[in-house]
Amino acid sequence: MTAISNRFKNLASQSQCALIPFITAGDPDLETTAEALQILDRNGADIIELGVPYSDPLADGPVIQAAATRALQQGITLDKVLEMLQNVTPSLQAPVILFTYYNPILNRGIEKFFKDIASAGVAGLVVPDLPLEEASGLLKFASEIDIDVILLVAPTSSSERIEAIARSSQGFIYLVSVTGVTGMRSRLEVRVSDLLQQIRGVTDKPIGVGFGISQPEQAKQVKEWGADAVIVGSAFVKRLAFGTRQQGLIAIAEFCQSLKTAITTS
């Protein structure tokens, strides 16, 4: 059983919903990222998603795009991110999911990429621009080294496609709650509830909901709709970038606690 599957199993045994915060590696710098990972781990994160800065982040909204741009301007590369993770992951309880686009994987070579991220302690992978039809190579290498490739279901996906994605996705299924890019939303669409039930009808794998969740009340709503995990990105990235380094770290600690409390209390 992979680290991510094991984490979901343990949470399910306690009837708990997972909290998955997202931050961008290297914003404002890798030293802060390393500390942020440890702070999130101590303040309620069950799994942590770490974005690798990329020059053409098609799935990301303005907050995460700006963070990636700042990181790239400082010369942050995948190698530097993995070197940082290699030092940090042994101290974390929460499994780390790497969020990266497909081109850097192809440039590195799929087999080498997976060996490198496994050495850095990465437990899962999200590739937002990877279509299901091209996922078989990644899924094969990932399964050989116990890394989960988590596939995304869009609100516009057909029933047949949802079933195919649910069958192939490893670790859990990532349900995108809105049509469009990542970013904070003032309200969630009610159809997320229907989509959750539709996916639940074709798989017993955990389902995480992301894109657009920015408040504890929204996280609680998603849990009540039946999600096994709540994924929050832009709201963490924005807080970490606000004010001084220390203010940012304090802000994400408090926000992480508030989200976990919201999805833990009945």
Side-chain angles (χ1 to χ4, degrees):
M1 182 176 288
T2 64
I4 292 171
S5 295
N6 192 52
R7 177 52 55 97
F8 274 108
K9 181 181 178 182
N10 290 340
L11 288 167
S13 70
Q14 303 169 57
S15 300
Q16 282 196 34
C17 180
L19 173 60
I20 308 179
F22 169 101
I23 59 173
T24 300
D27 182 47
D29 52 58
L30 281 178
E31 292 75 17
T32 302
T33 301
E35 190 169 351
L37 290 171
Q38 296 173 76
I39 284 172
L40 293 171
D41 189 53
R42 294 195 301 266
N43 285 277
D46 297 295
I47 299 167
I48 303 172
E49 192 175 2
L50 182 66
V52 178
Y54 184 58
S55 58
D56 191 21
L58 299 176
D60 295 321
V63 171
I64 296 176
Q65 280 193 22
T69 298
R70 290 191 295 267
L72 289 170
Q73 287 172 344
Q74 296 187 74
I76 301 301
T77 63
L78 176 59
D79 283 328
K80 291 179 180 179
V81 173
L82 295 181
E83 183 181 357
M84 178 273 297
L85 282 173
Q86 196 163 29
N87 294 322
V88 175
T89 51
S91 67
L92 302 178
Q93 295 296 312
V96 172
I97 296 172
L98 209 61
F99 180 105
T100 186
Y101 288 83
Y102 197 25
N103 196 51
I105 299 173
L106 289 177
N107 285 342
R108 200 177 195 88
I110 293 175
E111 186 172 5
K112 184 176 187 329
F113 174 83
F114 274 106
K115 287 180 179 178
D116 289 347
I117 68 171
S119 295
V122 171
L125 181 68
V126 172
V127 186
D129 59 344
L130 175 69
L132 175 64
E133 292 76 15
E134 297 178 25
S136 59
L138 266 65
L139 293 165
K140 174 181 178 293
F141 280 111
S143 61
E144 291 174 358
I145 53 177
D146 288 336
I147 288 179
D148 289 320
V149 175
I150 298 116
L151 302 180
L152 288 80
V153 169
T156 54
S157 298
S158 66
S159 298
E160 294 77 13
R161 192 165 186 81
I162 287 173
E163 187 169 352
I165 291 170
R167 190 164 52 245
S168 297
S169 189
Q170 301 167 335
F172 67 98
I173 294 128
Y174 192 137
L175 172 59
V176 176
S177 68
V178 295
T179 302
V181 297
T182 62
M184 297 173 286
R185 305 293 198 279
S186 59
R187 57 192 294 271
L188 296 176
E189 298 186 23
V190 177
R191 64 176 172 166
V192 173
S193 175
D194 295 332
L195 286 166
L196 276 164
Q197 297 314 310
Q198 184 179 355
I199 299 169
R200 190 75 69 200
V202 299
T203 184
D204 59 359
K205 292 176 183 175
I207 306 166
V209 176
F211 286 47
I213 300 168
S214 62
Q215 303 165 19
E217 296 78 13
Q218 292 172 329
K220 183 178 181 180
Q221 180 67 80
V222 168
K223 180 211 171 184
E224 290 175 349
W225 280 339
D228 300 293
V230 174
I231 305 162
V232 182
S234 294
F236 274 103
V237 174
K238 184 177 181 180
R239 282 169 172 78
L240 186 55
F242 179 79
T244 66
R245 176 178 185 272
Q246 196 57 36
Q247 285 174 325
L249 291 169
I250 291 170
I252 64 166
E254 293 175 347
F255 185 51
C256 196
Q257 289 174 6
S258 70
L259 289 168
K260 186 60 178 178
T261 299
I263 63 174
T264 301
T265 56
S266 57

